[in-house]
Amino acid sequence: MKKRILIINTGGTLSSVNSEQGLSPGLSSREILEELHMVSKNLELETEDFCSLDSANIFPEDWAALALKIGQVYLNYDGIVIIHGTDTLAYTASMLSFMLQNVPLPVVLTGSQLSISHPVADAMENCRCAIHMAASGCAGVFAAFNRKVMLGCRTSKVRSMSFDAFDSANYPNVAEISALGLHIKKELLPEKKGVFRV
């Protein structure tokens, strides 16, 4: 039986299109899903549009609504991917780490420096990493970017003009993609104690 992964789209550069005002969120989750079929073989992907915002316009009420949404649907999926703009991705990942206490499945945030519609974008690679981490069965909140997976509460944006935009602050990456595939360092994953609650 295929693992079911929910992809929640919040907007950001990954789902942006060119407009008269420059790049602005515009691709729907269905359009993103069409791009992702090649990286998701053996998985059942479902998508949902949560919002379509530049991540600079994501506020605490959005974090609360996103956490509640995950709390409502988590039993139906094996993992959740959140597509998010890079400006506040680390903040959202950190907040969800504390709001989703003892979350029993992987929740993985990702984004990109270029839109998924751009021919040399990092979007596809970041989504592939996030989707496969979401299918790993390793519970927790994570951020996936540039072939590495970081704990959500340790993720920090450190570069604005590089595909290697995020680092894990004072803690090793919990997973990385290499020629051997996705290697997860399970000894670095947080222990889950107690019942899940938002």
Side-chain angles (χ1 to χ4, degrees):
M1 192 160 126
K2 289 185 177 182
K3 289 191 173 183
R4 296 181 72 200
I5 307 298
L6 175 64
I7 299 174
I8 299 175
N9 181 29
T10 70
T13 299
L14 189 146
S15 61
S16 289
V17 293
N18 285 314
S19 69
E20 291 178 4
Q21 292 79 34
L23 275 180
S24 60
L27 294 176
S28 69
S29 60
R30 182 184 53 77
E31 291 168 309
I32 293 169
L33 183 61
E34 289 174 8
E35 299 283 342
L36 293 178
H37 278 307
M38 69 177 74
V39 302
S40 61
K41 292 175 182 169
N42 303 319
L43 297 171
E44 182 182 333
L45 299 185
E46 294 181 26
T47 59
E48 182 172 319
D49 288 312
F50 178 78
C51 60
S52 186
L53 293 174
D54 182 307
S55 72
N57 296 319
I58 289 196
F59 296 106
E61 54 266 30
D62 300 306
W63 293 333
L66 193 53
L68 287 171
K69 177 68 184 176
I70 292 167
Q72 291 166 356
V73 303
Y74 78 97
L75 288 173
N76 300 322
Y77 298 97
D78 297 293
I80 296 173
V81 172
I82 300 170
I83 292 174
H84 199 287
T86 61
D87 286 344
T88 60
L89 184 149
Y91 297 103
T92 300
S94 186
M95 289 304 298
L96 290 178
S97 297
F98 295 101
M99 297 176 87
L100 301 173
Q101 295 182 4
N102 299 304
V103 65
L105 77 173
V107 176
V108 188
L109 287 89
T110 195
S112 66
Q113 297 287 59
L114 292 171
S115 168
I116 199 166
S117 62
H118 195 288
V120 294
D122 55 334
M124 195 69 74
E125 188 63 45
N126 291 343
C127 284
R128 174 184 295 143
C129 183
I131 288 167
H132 289 282
M133 186 64 188
S136 70
C138 297
V141 177
F142 307 97
F145 217 90
N146 195 41
R147 297 179 175 241
K148 58 189 179 185
V149 179
M150 299 150 278
L151 288 181
C153 63
R154 297 290 187 155
T155 303
S156 182
K157 187 173 183 183
V158 294
R159 299 171 197 90
S160 60
M161 301 298 292
S162 169
F163 286 158
D164 190 20
F166 292 86
D167 278 340
S168 180
N170 300 317
Y171 200 79
N173 297 328
V174 296
E176 293 176 349
I177 291 179
S178 70
L180 301 174
L182 179 65
H183 173 66
I184 300 169
K185 303 165 193 170
K186 294 193 175 178
E187 70 277 7
L188 298 175
L189 298 174
E191 286 186 36
K192 297 300 170 197
K193 298 176 182 175
V195 176
F196 169 54
R197 67 189 184 99
V198 177

